């Protein structure tokens, strides 16, 4: 083989080896980096239980509630839980007396 051909083959092998090593190092560094999403579960977040409700300025029922309390309230409303003591008493009367008609 000619000297120039040997040099060309040697340089090609070194370049290919370098590319393989760089690719392997990049993949290893990407594998070591742990990717995760920001915590969106409200029950695990400490900030949510300290920040005022977003709707506090709009809805009078939200005033004085934290964002966590607001989320629980929204869940209770969606599931039909009574919101006041008066509503709870009416439900108790209704369950005791099948002919009871709640006042509006």
């Amino acid at each position: 083989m000619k000297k120039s051909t040997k040099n060309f083959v040697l340089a090609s092998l070194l370049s290919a080896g370098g590319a393989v090593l760089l690719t392997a190092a990049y993949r290893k560094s990407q594998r070591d980096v742990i990717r995760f999403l920001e915590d969106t579960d409200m029950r695990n977040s400490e900030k949510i239980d300290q920040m005022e409700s977003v709707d506090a300025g709009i809805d009078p029922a939200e005033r004085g509630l934290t964002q966590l309390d607001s989320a629980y309230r929204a869940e209770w409303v969606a599931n039909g839980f009574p919101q006041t003591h008066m509503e709870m008493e009416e439900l108790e009367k209704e369950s005791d007396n099948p002919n009871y008609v709640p006042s509006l």
Side-chain angles (χ1 to χ4, degrees), residues 39 42-51:
D39 185 16
M42 295 177 65
R43 291 165 187 90
N44 292 335
S45 180
E46 294 175 9
K47 294 177 190 174
I48 291 294
D49 201 22
Q50 296 171 355
M51 295 171 53

Side-chain angles (χ1 to χ4, degrees), residues 15-87:
S15 298
V20 168
L21 286 174
L22 283 175
T23 304
Y26 177 75
R27 286 186 181 166
K28 184 179 183 323
S29 69
Q30 290 300 310
R31 192 178 18 196
D32 292 342
V33 174
I34 299 173
R35 292 192 177 126
F36 61 93
L37 296 175
E38 187 68 29
D39 185 16
T40 55
D41 185 7
M42 295 177 65
R43 291 165 187 90
N44 292 335
S45 180
E46 294 175 9
K47 294 177 190 174
I48 291 294
D49 201 22
Q50 296 171 355
M51 295 171 53
E52 186 179 14
S53 171
V54 178
D55 296 329
I58 301 168
D59 187 4
E62 295 279 324
R63 289 193 184 118
L65 297 180
T66 64
Q67 288 184 357
L68 181 63
D69 294 335
S70 175
Y72 284 140
R73 179 182 177 275
E75 189 175 319
W76 294 335
V77 169
N79 290 325
F81 290 113
Q83 297 296 306
T84 62
H85 289 289
M86 189 169 72
E87 288 178 8

Side-chain angles (χ1 to χ4, degrees), residues 3-14:
K3 187 174 183 177
S4 61
T5 307
K6 286 182 185 180
N7 287 341
F8 179 74
V9 170
L10 184 60
S12 298
L13 289 173
L14 285 174

